Amino acid sequence: MNDDSRKMSRLRPMMMFVILAVAYFFVYFHRTTGGAVSDTLQEYYGVGTASVALLASAYLYAYTLMQIPSGILTDRLGPRKAATMFIILIAVGSAFSAFSAESGDFNLMVAGKFLIGIGAAVVYIPALKILAVWFERDRFASMNGALLLVGNVGSIAAATPMVLMMDSLGIANTYLVLSAVTVFIAVLCWLIVRDRPEGTIAHSDSKPQVSIRESLGKVFTSGTRFWPLAIWLFVMYGTLMLWQASQAGSFYRSVYGFSATDAGLMVTMVGVGMAAACPLAGVLSDRIFRSRRKVLIIGSFLYTVAWGMIALVTNLEACDDVIIQGAINVFLGFSAGFSVVAFAQIKELFPVEMAGTSVAALNLFPFAGGAILITISGFLVSSKSLEEYSVLWIVMFVMMVLATVLSFFTEDRNTVKDGE
C-alpha cells in the first residue's frame, strides 16, 4: 500500500462521518422547520391551523412508519446504498415542496413533506452502522454524540435562517436550493461511503440469529423494560415537537406580537439548548452517575419545570420580552436534550443481537407522539387565541408531570439480572 492509499484509508472514516453528519443535519432541519415558518405558509396558501399542523405531522408520520424498515433496509442493502437512496428521496420531497409553492397546491406540499420524512428516516441507522464498523468501539459513543450535536445544529438552522431564506428567495426557490444541496450530499455519499473497510467481509454473530418477528415480540412483551420508557418518550418528544416543529412560532406571533424573525429566534434557542445538553447528558450518564435512568429522571424533571414556566408566563404580560422567552426556550431545549440517554438505556436492556430491533421499536414512539400531538393541537388552537394556547400548555405540563412519574419505573442495565 503506497503513502496515498494509507492516507486515504485513515481519512475515509472521518470523511464518511462528515458526509453522513451533514445528511443528518438536514434530517433535523426538515423535522423542525414548521415551528418557525408555519404562519408564512398559512398566509401563502390561505389554509387554517389544522392544515399547517397536518403538514408538520406528515414528516413525523412518515418517519414513524419507516423506523423498523430502516433497520431492515440498512442490513439488506448496506448503509452506503440505503443512505444514498433515501437521501435522494429527501431531495425529491424538497422538489415536490418547490413545485407546490409554484402551483399554490398545499396538498403537494404535504406530499413533499411526507416523502422527506420517509427519506430522512433512513439516515440515522446507516450512520450508526458506519460508526460501528469503521470506528473503534471506545469511540462509538463520542462519535454518536457528535452526530446528534450536528443534528441539533440543523434544528437551529430550521428556525431563523429558514425564515430569512424564505424572505429573500421565496418558498419555491428555498426548496429548490435545499433539493440541489441534498442531491450533492447523496452523490458524495455514494462516492465516499463504504459499507466496511477493504479486505474485510461481513460475518454473522456466533449466536443464533433471532428473526425480526421474534425480536419484536420479545421487546413488546418485556413489560417494564420497554413500556415505561416508550410511553415516556412518546410524551416527552411529542410535546417537544408540538412546540418546536409546529406551534411555537405561531404562538409568539399571535399572542406576543413577535416579528417572524424574533419568533424564529425563539425556536432557534430550543436547538441551542439541546445542542449543549446532548454531549453533557452522555458524560453524566457514562462518568458521573454511571446510570442512564438517573440522568433520564433529572432531565424529565427539568423539562417538566420548563413546561410549567411556559404555562405560567403565557398569561403574564410582563413576560412578552424576547430575552425572557429566549431563556425559557434555551432551558426547554437543554432539559429535553437529556432524553438522548433513552436509546442507550433501551439498547443495554436487551441482548446485543436484538439491539437494532429494540432501538427501532423504541424510536416508533417519540415520532408517533409528535405526529399525534401536533395533529390534535391544530384543532385545539384553531383561532390562535391566548385562551386556547393557555389550555394547550397546561395540558402539556400535566402530561409531563405524569411522564416524570413514569420515568421512575424505567430500568437500568444494573437492575436486570444477568442472563435475562
Side-chain angles (χ1 to χ4, degrees):
M1 182 181 290
N2 57 39
D3 291 341
D4 289 341
S5 297
R6 289 192 184 95
K7 186 179 294 185
M8 178 57 71
S9 66
R10 290 193 296 269
L11 287 176
R12 187 181 289 275
M14 190 54 64
M15 292 169 62
M16 291 191 296
F17 171 77
V18 170
I19 291 167
L20 291 171
V22 173
Y24 198 55
F25 170 97
F26 285 100
V27 169
Y28 268 70
F29 181 90
H30 285 290
R31 185 183 301 169
T32 55
T33 51
V37 301
S38 58
D39 281 0
T40 300
L41 296 177
Q42 188 173 343
E43 292 167 6
Y44 183 85
Y45 287 100
V47 296
T49 55
S51 295
V52 175
L54 174 63
L55 176 65
S57 62
Y59 173 105
L60 297 171
Y61 280 120
Y63 202 99
T64 302
L65 291 172
M66 286 299 297
Q67 282 312 294
I68 292 176
S70 68
I72 299 171
L73 289 167
T74 300
D75 288 338
R76 294 190 177 181
L77 299 177
R80 177 196 183 209
K81 186 179 293 185
T84 300
M85 289 173 56
F86 283 86
I87 291 171
I88 289 175
L89 194 58
I90 297 175
V92 173
S94 298
F96 266 65
S97 298
F99 297 149
S100 166
E102 287 288 348
S103 64
D105 186 348
F106 185 76
N107 291 328
L108 195 58
M109 176 66 79
V110 175
K113 196 76 167 180
F114 191 83
L115 285 176
I116 290 171
I118 292 176
V122 192
V123 173
Y124 184 58
I125 300 299
L128 287 185
K129 192 155 189 177
I130 290 296
L131 293 182
V133 172
W134 281 87
F135 290 86
E136 295 84 356
R137 183 175 298 179
D138 59 0
R139 294 183 64 193
F140 179 83
S142 61
M143 296 303 293
N144 185 39
L147 183 66
L148 292 169
L149 176 61
V150 173
N152 278 289
V153 173
S155 70
I156 294 172
T160 303
M162 184 64 167
V163 172
L164 296 175
M165 282 181 65
M166 284 192 171
D167 286 345
S168 60
L169 300 178
I171 296 174
N173 287 334
T174 294
Y175 278 105
L176 283 177
V177 169
L178 292 174
S179 181
V181 171
T182 309
V183 169
F184 180 66
I185 296 170
V187 171
L188 289 178
C189 183
W190 182 257
L191 293 176
I192 303 298
V193 174
R194 295 294 181 269
D195 291 341
R196 61 188 64 86
E198 187 177 352
T200 64
I201 58 174
H203 62 279
S204 58
D205 195 283
S206 58
K207 295 182 179 181
Q209 295 297 303
V210 182
S211 69
I212 295 171
R213 182 176 179 180
E214 184 180 354
S215 295
L216 288 173
K218 288 182 177 180
V219 170
F220 288 129
T221 59
S222 61
T224 56
R225 287 195 198 178
F226 180 77
W227 286 106
L229 199 56
I231 297 171
W232 177 87
L233 207 52
F234 178 99
V235 176
M236 182 271 151
Y237 202 75
T239 55
L240 178 67
M241 284 294 95
L242 180 146
W243 178 264
Q244 188 182 24
S246 179
Q247 296 295 341
S250 182
F251 165 68
Y252 283 116
R253 293 185 68 181
S254 301
V255 174
Y256 288 155
F258 284 12
S259 66
T261 301
D262 285 344
L265 180 62
M266 297 302 100
V267 180
T268 299
M269 292 299 100
V270 178
V272 170
M274 289 193 71
C278 285
L280 175 62
V283 172
L284 289 175
S285 68
D286 286 338
R287 301 179 184 179
I288 307 300
F289 295 104
R290 298 188 181 278
S291 166
R292 318 296 188 193
R293 177 176 173 270
K294 290 178 181 178
V295 175
L296 190 83
I297 291 172
I298 292 171
S300 185
F301 173 77
L302 294 176
Y303 183 71
T304 303
V305 171
W307 269 110
M309 293 169 63
I310 293 172
L312 175 66
V313 304
T314 297
N315 291 292
L316 300 179
E317 293 183 4
C319 289
D320 61 353
D321 184 79
V322 172
I323 295 177
I324 293 175
Q325 291 298 326
I328 291 174
N329 278 279
V330 170
F331 181 59
L332 180 77
F334 181 81
S335 56
F338 281 63
S339 65
V340 299
V341 302
F343 295 97
Q345 189 173 351
I346 196 69
K347 182 180 177 182
E348 293 168 353
L349 290 174
F350 292 91
V352 64
E353 61 270 21
M354 291 174 55
T357 304
S358 61
V359 171
L362 182 66
N363 219 20
L364 289 170
F365 288 84
F367 297 103
I372 292 171
L373 292 183
I374 287 174
T375 301
I376 293 173
S377 71
F379 293 99
L380 293 180
V381 292
S382 57
S383 65
K384 299 183 182 180
S385 67
L386 173 63
E387 292 75 16
E388 288 177 337
Y389 279 118
S390 296
V391 171
L392 182 61
W393 303 153
I394 290 172
V395 170
M396 297 302 104
F397 170 69
V398 172
M399 289 179 67
M400 274 312 305
V401 169
L402 297 176
T404 299
V405 173
L406 198 62
S407 69
F408 285 87
F409 293 90
T410 64
E411 296 187 13
D412 245 339
R413 62 181 174 183
N414 57 4
T415 66
V416 182
K417 297 179 181 179
D418 294 337
E420 285 192 5

